[in-house]
Amino acid sequence: MEQIKQQTDMDKRILIIGAGVAGINAATKLVDNGYPGELITVIDRGNDPHNRLPEEVMTGMLGAGGWSDGKLTYHTAIGGQLSKYCGEEKAMQLMDQVISNFRRFHPKPEEIFMSDPQEEPEFIKPYFGLRMFPVWHIGSNYLHEIAKTWYQYLVDKGVNFSWNTTITDIDFQDLIIKYKQGEDEFVALNAYDKLIFAVGKSGIDFAQQLSDTYKLPTEPKSVQIGVRFEAPQKYFQKLIDISYDFKLYQKFDNVSLRSFCTNNNAAYVAVEETYGDVSYNGHAKKGEEFRNDMTNFGILMEIKGIEDPFKWSRDVVQKCQTLKLDLGADWSEHGGGLYYSPSREISTTSEYALIKATKVGDLGVFKNAFGEYADYIMNFIDNMNSVFNFGDDWGMYIPEVKYLSPEPLVNYHDLSLTTYPNVHFVGDALSARGITVSGAHGIYVAEKLIQHSHLVELTQLLETE
Ligand SMILES: Cc1cc2nc3c(=O)[nH]c(=O)nc-3n(C[C@H](O)[C@H](O)[C@H](O)COP(=O)(O)OP(=O)(O)OC[C@H]3O[C@@H](n4cnc5c(N)ncnc54)[C@H](O)[C@@H]3O)c2cc1C
């Protein structure tokens, strides 16, 4: 029996790159099921929970989830792909496990609460649908404590952690990894048997680098592009009272539109620079001193059937860059994207600087850039006006864009690369966009690794009998 055990998959070394939500949930599921912690190594470019600083938003124990808003969404249509891989019922079950892990390591689990709007309000009909889904509120103030307790649990189970260690290259063929600690570079040969790649958003460039090197087959992605809408909060208050981060949506044949990432109370439009171009996003500040009683949200279109969505989106974004347009000196000197409003002026950032945008008097440049799709956005705004009656008291920053990085093609049953079956992609690295789905990816892979171990063990046992 002893000899058989040595040959089973329970003896495979599992390397997890990224101590974020996905990686940590995977490690937890493994050790909870008796996988020897000593065979699991978690590497992260950030700090352990005792040394992680508040400004380290994306790296360290629990990754981006560690300093997040702590809102655990509980619906398979929110937060990225999950049921696509494992079916609806299993997806909900996996999300339950993530939520229960946060509860388990929470210092005051009784303070976790769930908001669960039930009915679409009559007043948004017949123009819009409202996406409603339960959200568990962990309390962002507790995440740090959760991270510490969770970490200790894994350390006690024997899991190895390597902090402040950045993986810079992986040789999938020969199982070699290159990594940096400070300025020093190292190479580890025969570094793993199974690899869980969980680098999140902060590792997106690294994921792209690997995808290019290994010419990984990818899933086609749709375009997500639109504008950031801004208006005084009072017009939307009756909807905010029902759902703080409301998600209005409209669906047409090949285009669907939704409001995205709503900010209220102290809501500021934020400039994003991607690939050297300006686009817009928004954020809400905490603290009464920042209150401006504004609401902003993206109006994003998902357009199906565009041949090269990435190139098309970049093209649209570039056509909105005023520095690149021949619009006359008084415009182009401002730079940034476009701002259009029938009555308002450009707002300020939370640091009280003018938002980098150029105000345009008509919709010509916008319509030229977006083509026929500009009408969908204007129609969405007109419909909102019918419901919320904001008249001319609104503005929009153009464009807002989500460049969905190509998603590597994985085997749906265990999220392993179709070309390297011992490498599993999880979390935001596999186009998740939230804590619950990312954690669920991690648990899903861990379950498959455990099942596989038991299967190998059983087969070998039968063979020896
Ligand atoms: C400010 C903010 C607030 C958010 N609020 C919410 C919220 O309330 N609810 C919600 O559902 N989602 C929220 N999100 C999104 C959510 O945090 C992510 O979707 C989730 O954390 C993704 O999990 P992950 O494990 O895939 O990646 P992450 O949690 O980002 O973890 C990835 C880890 O990989 C490490 N890493 C990256 N590259 C390397 C490398 N080369 N070598 C070694 N380590 C590497 C990073 O240090 C990081 O710790 C928020 C995100 C942010 C930034």
Side-chain angles (χ1 to χ4, degrees), residues 20-22 44-45 59-60 63-65 68-69 71 167 199-200 427-428 434-435 438:
V21 180
D44 199 284
R45 71 196 308 174
T59 60
S68 71
D69 291 346
K71 293 199 284 273
I167 307 288
V199 296
D428 281 7
I435 295 172
S438 296

Side-chain angles (χ1 to χ4, degrees), residues 189-326:
L189 304 176
N190 190 19
Y192 61 87
D193 297 310
K194 306 265 181 196
L195 179 71
I196 300 182
F197 189 77
V199 296
K201 281 264 152 47
S202 58
I204 215 88
D205 290 343
F206 182 40
Q208 187 63 50
Q209 171 198 321
L210 292 173
S211 181
D212 293 345
T213 308
Y214 290 97
K215 300 196 172 38
L216 298 178
T218 53
E219 294 245 9
K221 285 270 152 186
S222 57
V223 170
Q224 297 214 359
I225 196 162
V227 302
R228 173 95 354 200
F229 179 91
E230 185 187 49
Q233 177 170 334
K234 57 185 178 189
Y235 301 115
F236 291 88
Q237 194 59 50
K238 58 183 174 181
L239 184 55
I240 294 166
D241 288 343
I242 296 169
S243 174
Y244 177 90
D245 182 7
F246 55 80
K247 296 198 182 334
L248 295 168
Y249 69 90
Q250 288 184 330
K251 207 164 172 357
F252 303 93
D253 281 351
N254 63 333
V255 182
S256 57
L257 296 96
R258 68 196 158 108
S259 61
F260 170 81
C261 175
T262 304
N263 298 291
N264 305 311
N265 302 327
Y268 293 88
V269 173
V271 167
E272 273 187 354
E273 289 200 31
T274 321
Y275 304 115
D277 291 329
V278 168
S279 56
Y280 299 96
N281 203 328
H283 65 145
K285 296 283 276 192
K286 293 201 169 71
E288 269 306 299
E289 67 277 24
F290 291 108
R291 178 176 275 275
N292 59 1
D293 294 316
M294 297 294 283
T295 287
N296 71 57
F297 49 86
I299 301 174
L300 283 184
M301 291 179 289
E302 183 164 322
I303 308 170
K304 296 227 163 68
I306 288 191
E307 199 166 312
D308 185 345
F310 180 76
K311 189 174 165 305
W312 187 87
S313 315
R314 286 216 53 196
D315 210 40
V316 173
V317 171
Q318 282 183 347
K319 285 182 182 160
C320 298
Q321 304 300 304
T322 49
L323 275 183
K324 293 182 183 162
L325 294 169
D326 183 16

